[in-house]
Amino acid sequence: MKQNALTDLNLLTRRPLFSGRVWTALAAAVALLALLPLLNLVFPPGHALHVSAYAVALLGKFMCYAMAALALDLVWGYAGILSLGHGLFFALGGYAHGMYLMRAIGRDGVYQSDLPDFMVFLDWKTYPWYWSFTEHFWYAMLLVVLVPGLLAFVFGYFAFRSRIKGVYFSIITQALTFAAMLLFFRNDTGFGGNNGFTDFKRILGFDITAPGTRAALYWITLGALAGALILARAVTQSKLGRVLTAVRDAESRLRFIGYDPLGFKLFVWTLSAVLCGIAGALYVPQVGIINPSEMSTETSIEMVIWVATGGRGTLVGPIIGAGAVNGLKTWFTSVLPEFWLYALGLIFVLVTLFLPTGIVGLARRAAARLSVRSQGKQA
């Protein structure tokens, strides 16, 4: 029976990563997005083709959110693991990069000390041991990957081995995130307390606020998002992806035919956390701040809404959903900021009731109807 299952998996995975039309659409979208920083650099303010620095930074932030939503879709959309704690992995990646950025300030802070301003204010004399080597960019990037990845691996191992799933797993991830947020809010943990890390000056010796640096960060984020999409697509279209789908749809049957879901779930859970941490690391230098609010349960719930709005289990859908919801948030909070949370809740309710397959599902149904109509006319 297991051999037959393997044969079926081989047959299901014999298809291209993307169709020709999808590759063309992706290339066009990447080219269009990559053009925007050039319009900011080449054309002066007031020119018809000029794109403001604010717009470039905003789109860069949206792409970081899109990468986090893509990471969540890997575990929720394909493995059926609903996480309410991905904001923690996002923030940990941001803090790991933020430690390097704080060290790169040097003596340009308010107190002109080798220590960050918040440590001087708290009368700290030296860096804590866990700040060691964070003045090196390569080490900080290693932390960006290792810290979220190791935490996810250890947490996931014990949770999945105990066969915790469904709403219980979601609640535990939410509790873990909330506990971490309370820890980072404390001043004595050495992460800036309530204010977190901010007032960055340089990255790799370059002025972090310079237009060229902003453009470079934007392009790196765009490349990372495109690479994450291709990686996620490759994983979901492989045998591993088919097993993950089986975990989502019928985990008990999967055990019956001889598969142990633990390793598969642990792999995709850890990979998702790492991608989320990378997204957080790219977010920090573009936004200019990281604080414990990024670990709040609200942030993790918003990620779930991005995925649901775009289309769970589609990979492209969460990217669209993150852009759409955050674009609406940017407009709404500038017009009626006190009502944004109500609007966000309404979006989730409407999507759940009327768009269970999200924006991508709606587009697919519309395309199918147009195809049927065109075939009917030809007949």
Side-chain angles (χ1 to χ4, degrees):
M1 183 176 293
K2 185 173 180 179
Q3 184 64 36
N4 292 334
L6 288 172
T7 303
D8 292 340
L9 287 174
N10 284 325
L11 293 173
L12 284 168
T13 53
R14 290 175 185 171
R15 51 174 149 178
L17 193 61
F18 288 113
S19 66
R21 290 183 179 180
V22 174
W23 276 117
T24 302
L26 288 175
V30 170
L32 178 61
L33 289 171
L35 181 64
L36 297 181
L38 285 177
L39 298 180
N40 170 258
L41 295 172
V42 174
F43 297 101
H47 194 280
L49 295 178
H50 176 75
V51 175
S52 67
Y54 170 77
V56 172
L58 186 65
L59 285 173
K61 181 175 75 171
F62 287 179
M63 287 190 293
C64 295
Y65 287 153
M67 191 171 173
L70 175 65
L72 178 58
D73 192 38
L74 268 178
V75 293
W76 185 34
Y78 287 89
I81 303 170
L82 176 56
S83 168
L84 295 180
H86 263 50
L88 172 59
F89 304 132
F90 184 85
L92 288 176
Y95 268 100
H97 193 188
M99 292 167 78
Y100 162 77
L101 294 174
M102 293 300 291
R103 297 289 291 263
I105 294 174
R107 288 182 169 269
D108 292 340
V110 174
Y111 297 103
Q112 298 182 349
S113 170
D114 291 328
L115 296 176
D117 287 341
F118 73 87
M119 289 188 181
V120 178
F121 179 78
L122 295 172
D123 199 29
W124 289 34
K125 304 303 180 184
T126 59
Y127 283 103
W129 64 267
Y130 44 85
W131 278 74
S132 300
F133 306 111
T134 52
E135 70 273 18
H136 302 293
F137 180 78
W138 64 267
Y139 181 74
M141 294 303 100
L142 190 63
L143 289 180
V144 166
V145 174
L146 288 182
V147 173
L150 286 175
L151 176 62
F153 182 85
V154 173
F155 174 83
Y157 175 78
F158 288 105
F160 298 142
R161 192 184 66 168
S162 302
R163 299 189 182 183
I164 299 173
K165 55 185 178 179
V167 66
Y168 302 103
F169 184 85
S170 302
I171 292 173
I172 292 175
T173 57
Q174 189 177 46
L176 175 68
T177 304
F178 188 73
M181 182 188 68
L182 294 180
L183 178 65
F184 274 70
F185 264 121
R186 295 171 58 93
N187 287 325
D188 56 4
T189 56
F191 294 105
N194 182 60
N195 296 321
F197 299 156
T198 188
D199 196 29
F200 307 127
K201 306 294 185 183
R202 286 173 293 274
I203 179 170
L204 290 174
F206 297 96
D207 181 1
I208 202 168
T209 60
T213 307
R214 293 284 189 183
L217 289 168
Y218 177 97
W219 286 322
I220 292 171
T221 304
L222 178 60
L225 176 59
L229 176 60
I230 293 173
L231 174 62
R233 180 70 175 178
V235 168
T236 56
Q237 291 299 305
S238 66
K239 295 178 183 178
L240 170 61
R242 296 301 167 184
V243 174
L244 291 175
T245 304
V247 169
R248 180 193 66 192
D249 296 337
E251 185 174 344
S252 59
R253 292 185 181 181
L254 192 67
R255 293 180 184 276
F256 177 74
I257 63 175
Y259 284 90
D260 183 3
L262 174 62
F264 300 101
K265 294 166 73 172
L266 192 57
F267 170 79
V268 74
W269 172 254
T270 305
L271 175 62
S272 176
V274 169
L275 291 177
C276 216
I278 294 172
L282 292 168
Y283 169 89
V284 170
Q286 297 183 86
V287 176
I289 188 172
I290 179 71
N291 58 44
S293 64
E294 298 296 340
M295 295 183 184
S296 67
T297 53
E298 290 84 355
T299 300
S300 298
I301 292 172
E302 280 194 34
M303 291 182 182
V304 173
I305 295 175
W306 302 341
V307 176
T309 301
R312 173 189 170 197
T314 61
L315 298 182
V316 175
I319 295 175
I320 297 172
V325 174
N326 283 287
L328 181 62
K329 179 180 181 179
T330 301
W331 175 82
F332 214 99
T333 51
S334 65
V335 179
L336 296 169
E338 64 274 15
F339 293 104
W340 165 242
L341 290 179
Y342 298 103
L344 185 65
L346 181 62
I347 290 171
F348 189 65
V349 171
L350 293 177
V351 167
T352 302
L353 292 177
F354 302 107
L355 282 178
T357 56
I359 295 173
V360 169
L362 179 63
R364 286 175 176 173
R365 289 198 300 272
R369 289 177 183 175
L370 288 175
S371 177
V372 170
R373 288 181 183 179
S374 63
Q375 291 176 0
K377 290 180 180 180
Q378 291 176 0

